Amino acid sequence: MVKAKGFHHGDLKRALLGAALELLDEQGDAGVGIRAVARKAGVSHAAPVNHFKDRRALLTGLAIKLFDDIQTNISKRLESVSNDPAMRIESVVKSFFEYGAEHPNRYALLWRNDVVDHECDEMRIREDAVYDFICNEINNLTAGRNIDTDTVAIGLWSMMHGYIDLKIVGMFEEREDSVTGEDRPEALIKMFRTIFDQYGL
């Protein structure tokens, strides 16, 4: 267990977020509290207040870290993708699909308005960065066409998040597309690509 006296400047915040992440994976957000995180990190119950004034601030800080992790995954995936806007959009969607499947508790926390402060500047910057990227690529696809970018982006975002969220709560079983044999997320992505093609996007 990490000992408080071993911390150097800046290490405590990382240790607290690391402990919070472990608890989130084990118990969901309900298990992530100031006292539980302090105990997990091996520090006094009062220590976290130096970085997180309350549980909401702690969970917001954790959500910011998770968004950074997702953005790192997206950036790595984009390095091996062509400049085709549709493929770049698909890379973002695949990153979220994979993240939700591998880390359901982490993904669920990202969209919790009751325990995460989405008005926090650091959160808004990260959320807007992903949405703006998708909108920019949609604009590249629809250049010269009378298309509402936000409508397309919201439709794509709703499909992606809706599937992941319902999968996490157990509403969808692990099944393949009966025609193509592909797993459901891949089939959904190709379905959206077909819609793009049908509308000449």
Side-chain angles (χ1 to χ4, degrees):
M1 182 176 288
V2 180
K3 299 299 181 182
K5 65 180 181 181
F7 289 119
H8 297 290
H9 179 69
D11 288 347
L12 177 57
K13 183 175 182 179
R14 286 193 291 272
L16 292 171
L17 288 175
L21 184 58
E22 288 185 34
L23 289 170
L24 178 66
D25 286 340
E26 294 167 1
Q27 306 174 32
D29 68 272
V32 185
I34 293 292
R35 286 180 173 269
V37 167
R39 185 164 54 250
K40 186 85 167 176
V43 300
S44 71
H45 293 162
V49 75
N50 294 318
H51 296 284
F52 306 106
K53 64 179 182 179
D54 54 26
R55 180 172 182 267
R56 184 176 177 83
L58 172 63
L59 288 171
T60 299
L62 183 55
I64 289 169
K65 179 187 182 307
L66 299 182
F67 255 109
D68 285 343
D69 291 343
I70 292 174
Q71 188 60 62
T72 297
N73 292 338
I74 290 173
S75 297
K76 288 180 179 178
R77 188 186 288 274
L78 289 174
E79 289 176 359
S80 59
V81 172
S82 73
N83 290 325
D84 175 23
M87 292 186 67
R88 291 170 66 79
I89 292 171
E90 288 176 13
S91 292
V92 173
V93 175
K94 286 180 180 179
S95 293
F96 276 99
F97 272 144
E98 291 174 3
Y99 194 82
E102 294 172 7
H103 307 292
N105 288 344
R106 300 183 192 186
Y107 188 90
L109 176 66
L110 293 175
W111 319 108
R112 291 285 301 277
N113 277 318
D114 55 336
V115 295
V116 172
D117 181 8
H118 289 274
E119 297 304 313
C120 166
D121 287 343
E122 290 186 82
M123 276 294 294
R124 291 181 67 89
I125 288 171
R126 286 158 174 80
E127 292 171 339
D128 289 349
V130 176
Y131 184 78
D132 290 345
F133 174 87
I134 292 175
C135 286
N136 182 63
E137 296 301 332
I138 290 172
N139 280 331
N140 290 335
L141 272 174
T142 62
R145 296 180 175 88
N146 188 26
I147 299 292
D148 187 310
T149 300
D150 286 310
T151 296
V152 178
I154 291 171
L156 178 63
W157 190 266
S158 299
M159 179 275 290
M160 176 188 77
H161 179 64
Y163 175 80
I164 299 172
D165 186 54
L166 289 170
K167 184 72 168 55
I168 287 174
V169 299
M171 294 301 294
F172 290 145
E173 299 177 357
E174 290 283 356
R175 293 187 179 179
E176 299 176 341
D177 185 282
S178 62
V179 175
T180 66
E182 297 168 328
D183 63 23
R184 196 70 71 190
E186 187 68 28
L188 286 170
I189 291 172
K190 287 194 174 180
M191 179 195 71
F192 219 90
R193 181 64 178 266
T194 299
I195 293 174
F196 281 170
D197 292 340
Q198 287 178 343
Y199 281 89
L201 303 184

